[in-house]
Amino acid sequence: MPSGPRRATLATVAASAGVSVATVSKVLNGRSDVSPATRSLVQSLLQEHDYVAPSPRREPPGLATVELQFDTDLNAYSTEIIQGAVAAGAEAGVGIVVSIRSGAARTTAWARGLVAAGRRALIAVTGELTSGQPAALARARLPLVLIDPLNLPRTRVTSIGSTNFAGGVAATQHLLSLGHRRIAYIGGPATAACNQARLHGYRAAMEAEGAPVLPGFVRSGHFRFHDGMVSGAAVLDLPHAPTAIFAGCDEVAVGVMEAARARGLRIPEELSIVGFDDTQIAQVTSPPLTTVRQPLREMGGVALRTALRLAAGERVDSHHVELATELVVRGSTAPVPRRA
Amino acid sequence: MPSGPRRATLATVAASAGVSVATVSKVLNGRSDVSPATRSLVQSLLQEHDYVAPSPRREPPGLATVELQFDTDLNAYSTEIIQGAVAAGAEAGVGIVVSIRSGAARTTAWARGLVAAGRRALIAVTGELTSGQPAALARARLPLVLIDPLNLPRTRVTSIGSTNFAGGVAATQHLLSLGHRRIAYIGGPATAACNQARLHGYRAAMEAEGAPVLPGFVRSGHFRFHDGMVSGAAVLDLPHAPTAIFAGCDEVAVGVMEAARARGLRIPEELSIVGFDDTQIAQVTSPPLTTVRQPLREMGGVALRTALRLAAGERVDSHHVELATELVVRGSTAPVPRRA
DNA sequence: CGGTCATGTCGAAAATGTTTCGATGAGCTG
DNA sequence: CAGCTCATCGAAACATTTTCGACATGACCG
């Protein structure tokens, strides 16, 4: 059953406008040898007939792009993801279009716009997803891959993460092995999946060692420097202040460092700090930060390759992949200080 | 005078391959009803005849992209540039494709590839330019905008920078006004224009104050953390060690901090440090870094808008624009210590 | 005023590329 | 061998763009 009245062609429009096919073509291509009157007449008739370009011509092979969308301003974490995606994109011959999510709702129209703009897939980084969004993307046939999603909607979505739980365990065990018992955790949004996994890793390691999680020792935030400073200050001012703090990301760790510095605490002699991510920041602090490395570049690369596989219509082995984290010991951790 | 032997058409290729025009078309469009043998034969003949798709058909409006190319791995500086370009791109409705320059020569073919991939312009960040590259880009009609170029070829190229000289003066004057006289400069590549401007600003301020630039007090590098650590160590180990160091960028400043820390020097009490750029790093060090702010986001935005104007065929007012730098005083600078 | 020339519009026809559909032949089956 | 399937290919129909000549118009000139 062909779709009702055939799709409009130039000939259709030309006939109804009383001009030649050539003229209609010229209007479409913005040629100059068409009088303004004729042009606007043809344009309105094009609209009326819902004219759309015919075959989506063979697209130049290099034209493929993938959108890499962030939910917030770029930071050291984003930089590594971008780097990884760009490197993998260069190999695959697709361009990485970076964007920062604006307030705009992610509607079907938005998804279609991305497709029309030549995007082959969308990679959303640390995003919050409403349940309708995967549906909108599916309608537009735009594959979606998530990196470190804040939440996972019911529908099955492909996502890339790292072994946050294991990382939380490793960080905490490292501190425990140095003799620390009063260890606080300062993390990100309480609802974020990756934050929960790190927190549970911390709790699991503490519990295994029989170390109590003291009241006020677990704090949420937004993974930002400022959160680290504020929460760090709050924790350090407790009567039973911790001797070590496990921060949910490097930026928070640096904020904690600043809070410690403001209180005259020496790091690592009087306070040990472990971060998470191993961004470029970690190598640049004083002292250099002990942290749990997330393979962010690899995650960006894997996300891209997964997105391309989805775009090519292939199945992916698993709808969620976790890359391994690894504890990197630098200078911000030391054995627990002797009681004065 | 038409360009010699007419451009190859499907008919040309079909004739030389001994197949029909239809078959060649199918190969081009990746249709399945072509035998592998025929396909590869046609493909090689397409190559041989330099077949290119004819008219760059009327292009879907949303497809526009601009390439933002970096010469090195992404860092905090890149992040700000990207952020600025992406924000401006979102406003203008063009996508920003980030890429990292590979070893590949920037030939005419490369430039044409970018055009074929839908790029409207190229923004090259802190790149080194050979004289042939602007020519290759011009032949492909791809507008080029430079941000902080390392060198400027003879041909007139549009570029965006900041007032590096004024910034160098401001940083140095700030240190001088705190009573410092033994001030060292640790910068980037000796040939880089932005580095030279900062260095000359430093020299000018020193000279104006009658402060001598002591031997060994000016050092080059690659604007990296490691350079700061090495050159910082070298300068601090001089018999006439400086009381203040002006670093050519924040990352170098952090390296210098690390070198100072390794020598037990307290910052800012025993050593003042000024950085350059005001990337996110500067707010995150201990103590927070006094630095010369470059409006990197604005530079990214201006570069994008300039690139789009060039792509639209408009003239730009000036082929070089410099945005204002601004000294941001934080915690890494203090009055010169009294002689012990 | 009539002739000439430049200019703006337009369409017929040619050029180019894509799609449909039937022809052909190889290989397999019964 | 008849009959069937399947892959491959091209002729022809289509869709669109481009070229080029036709025509009208108006300016300019002698």
Side-chain angles (χ1 to χ4, degrees):
Chain A
M1 166 176 59
S3 55
R6 295 173 79 87
R7 212 166 42 74
T9 72
L10 291 199
T12 324
V13 178
S16 84
V19 298
S20 75
V21 175
T23 302
V24 180
S25 170
K26 286 170 187 172
V27 170
L28 273 176
N29 292 283
R31 292 278 177 277
S32 60
D33 58 343
V34 182
S35 72
T38 309
R39 185 184 302 277
S40 66
L41 168 65
V42 171
Q43 271 168 343
S44 70
L45 283 171
L46 279 168
Q47 281 243 331
E48 193 171 313
H49 286 83
D50 280 337
Y51 178 83
V52 285
S55 55
R57 311 291 179 143
R58 139 181 40 105
E59 16 207 355
L63 211 145
T65 50
V66 170
E67 181 116 352
L68 181 62
Q69 189 175 58
F70 293 87
D71 245 42
T72 62
D73 279 5
L74 304 181
N75 51 34
Y77 171 97
S78 328
T79 304
E80 298 296 317
I81 298 281
I82 294 174
Q83 174 98 31
V86 165
E91 255 177 48
V94 307
I96 305 297
V97 177
V98 175
S99 72
I100 296 169
R101 184 187 173 191
S102 61
R106 293 163 159 182
T107 60
T108 303
W110 165 80
R112 285 199 213 289
L114 286 177
V115 172
R119 305 291 178 268
R120 291 287 201 285
L122 172 67
I123 302 174
V125 185
T126 62
E128 194 142 10
L129 220 55
T130 70
S131 61
Q133 284 156 5
L137 292 166
R139 269 195 296 280
R141 301 202 180 289
L142 191 69
L144 169 67
V145 174
L146 302 177
I147 295 181
D148 261 355
L150 289 189
N151 61 334
L152 272 180
R154 291 212 194 80
T155 46
R156 175 160 295 198
V157 176
T158 308
S159 56
I160 312 286
S162 65
T163 56
N164 288 303
F165 181 84
V169 169
T172 311
Q173 278 181 348
H174 169 63
L175 292 170
L176 289 165
S177 76
L178 289 169
H180 295 276
R181 301 272 296 177
R182 297 209 307 274
I183 306 173
Y185 175 74
I186 301 180
T191 56
C194 58
N195 181 63
Q196 286 176 2
R198 289 169 205 173
L199 173 56
H200 287 145
Y202 155 81
R203 283 192 191 281
M206 291 292 275
E207 194 167 328
E209 197 76 7
V213 174
L214 299 181
F217 266 31
V218 171
R219 304 202 151 250
S220 307
H222 298 90
F223 279 145
R224 308 296 312 223
F225 174 78
H226 187 254
D227 301 317
M229 219 163 66
V230 171
S231 292
V235 164
L236 290 174
D237 287 343
L238 288 173
H240 51 284
T243 62
I245 296 178
F246 173 27
C249 75
D250 290 347
E251 216 176 304
V252 167
V254 172
V256 172
M257 274 192 174
E258 190 56 29
R261 212 184 65 92
R263 278 159 186 73
L265 289 173
R266 281 172 303 145
I267 301 168
E269 293 82 2
E270 298 173 281
L271 179 69
S272 286
I273 300 180
V274 179
F276 209 105
D277 286 348
D278 193 22
T279 57
Q280 292 177 18
I281 291 177
Q283 304 172 38
V284 136
T285 54
S286 282
L289 189 65
T290 295
T291 190
V292 177
R293 176 174 143 73
Q294 280 199 84
L296 296 173
R297 293 193 184 187
E298 287 79 357
M299 285 163 66
V302 168
L304 180 81
R305 284 187 288 271
T306 304
L308 290 179
R309 266 201 290 280
L310 288 174
E314 296 175 35
R315 283 286 164 84
V316 289
D317 313 327
S318 161
H319 68 100
H320 180 69
V321 173
E322 289 198 345
L323 305 188
T325 52
E326 179 193 7
L327 181 71
V328 179
V329 178
R330 294 204 180 88
S332 67
T333 48
V336 63
R338 292 289 177 100
R339 293 267 172 101
Chain B
M1 169 174 56
S3 55
R6 295 174 78 87
R7 209 167 45 73
T9 71
L10 289 200
T12 325
V13 178
S16 83
V19 300
S20 75
V21 174
T23 303
V24 181
S25 171
K26 286 170 188 171
V27 170
L28 275 175
N29 293 282
R31 293 277 178 276
S32 62
D33 57 344
V34 181
S35 73
T38 309
R39 186 185 302 276
S40 65
L41 168 66
V42 170
Q43 271 167 344
S44 69
L45 284 170
L46 281 168
Q47 282 243 329
E48 193 171 313
H49 286 82
D50 281 337
Y51 178 83
V52 285
S55 54
R57 314 289 180 140
R58 131 183 45 101
E59 21 205 354
L63 214 142
T65 50
V66 170
E67 181 116 354
L68 181 63
Q69 188 175 59
F70 294 86
D71 246 42
T72 63
D73 278 7
L74 304 182
N75 51 34
Y77 172 97
S78 327
T79 304
E80 298 296 317
I81 299 280
I82 295 175
Q83 173 97 31
V86 165
E91 253 176 50
V94 307
I96 305 297
V97 177
V98 175
S99 72
I100 297 170
R101 184 188 174 190
S102 59
R106 295 163 158 179
T107 61
T108 303
W110 165 79
R112 285 200 213 290
L114 287 176
V115 172
R119 306 290 178 270
R120 291 287 201 283
L122 172 67
I123 302 175
V125 185
T126 61
E128 194 141 8
L129 221 55
T130 69
S131 61
Q133 284 157 3
L137 292 165
R139 270 195 295 280
R141 302 202 180 290
L142 190 69
L144 170 67
V145 174
L146 303 177
I147 295 180
D148 261 353
L150 288 190
N151 62 334
L152 271 180
R154 292 214 193 79
T155 46
R156 176 160 295 198
V157 177
T158 307
S159 56
I160 312 287
S162 66
T163 56
N164 288 304
F165 181 84
V169 169
T172 312
Q173 278 181 347
H174 169 63
L175 292 171
L176 287 166
S177 76
L178 289 170
H180 294 275
R181 302 271 296 179
R182 298 209 307 275
I183 306 173
Y185 174 75
I186 301 180
T191 56
C194 58
N195 181 63
Q196 285 175 2
R198 289 169 205 173
L199 173 56
H200 288 145
Y202 155 80
R203 282 192 190 282
M206 291 292 274
E207 194 168 328
E209 197 76 8
V213 175
L214 298 182
F217 266 32
V218 170
R219 304 201 150 250
S220 306
H222 297 91
F223 281 146
R224 307 296 311 224
F225 173 77
H226 187 254
D227 300 317
M229 221 163 63
V230 172
S231 292
V235 163
L236 290 174
D237 288 343
L238 287 172
H240 51 284
T243 62
I245 296 179
F246 171 29
C249 76
D250 289 348
E251 216 177 300
V252 167
V254 173
V256 173
M257 275 191 174
E258 190 55 29
R261 210 183 67 90
R263 278 158 186 72
L265 290 172
R266 281 173 302 146
I267 301 168
E269 293 81 3
E270 298 173 280
L271 179 69
S272 285
I273 300 181
V274 178
F276 209 104
D277 286 348
D278 195 21
T279 56
Q280 292 177 20
I281 292 176
Q283 304 172 40
V284 137
T285 55
S286 284
L289 190 65
T290 296
T291 190
V292 177
R293 177 174 143 72
Q294 281 200 82
L296 296 173
R297 294 193 183 188
E298 287 79 356
M299 285 163 65
V302 168
L304 180 82
R305 284 186 289 268
T306 304
L308 290 180
R309 266 200 290 278
L310 288 173
E314 294 175 36
R315 286 284 165 83
V316 289
D317 312 327
S318 161
H319 68 100
H320 181 71
V321 173
E322 290 198 343
L323 304 188
T325 53
E326 179 194 5
L327 181 72
V328 179
V329 178
R330 295 205 180 87
S332 66
T333 49
V336 64
R338 291 292 175 99
R339 294 265 172 104

